[in-house]
Amino acid sequence: LFPYTTLFRSIQIIPSGEYYDYDAKYLRDDTKYLCPCPLPEEQQRELAVLALKAFQVLGGRGWGRVDLMLDR
């Protein structure tokens, strides 16, 4: 999609509570970060393409981050 594009691996975030909020990110020590994310490779590729397209549509330049949330 883009020349010279570097993608980082997906991360699955599992908060111990219901939400990934400020406390889960900065204060708690029981939030789990799974990297690489345990999604199948094909699904990770599809999500990477989606993230790159979102970056392009929004006019992103240089570097950026796209967060995606999946239903269970």
Side-chain angles (χ1 to χ4, degrees), residues 54-72:
F55 186 77
Q56 181 182 33
V57 166
L58 294 171
R61 297 187 183 277
W63 65 271
R65 184 180 98 187
V66 176
D67 294 337
L68 301 169
M69 295 177 67
L70 302 177
D71 290 337
R72 297 175 201 227

Side-chain angles (χ1 to χ4, degrees), residues 16-34:
S16 61
E18 187 173 355
Y19 300 105
Y20 183 64
D21 56 10
Y22 181 90
D23 286 348
K25 183 172 183 175
Y26 295 107
L27 303 177
R28 300 182 63 104
D29 62 0
D30 54 358
T31 299
K32 295 179 184 172
Y33 300 90
L34 305 181

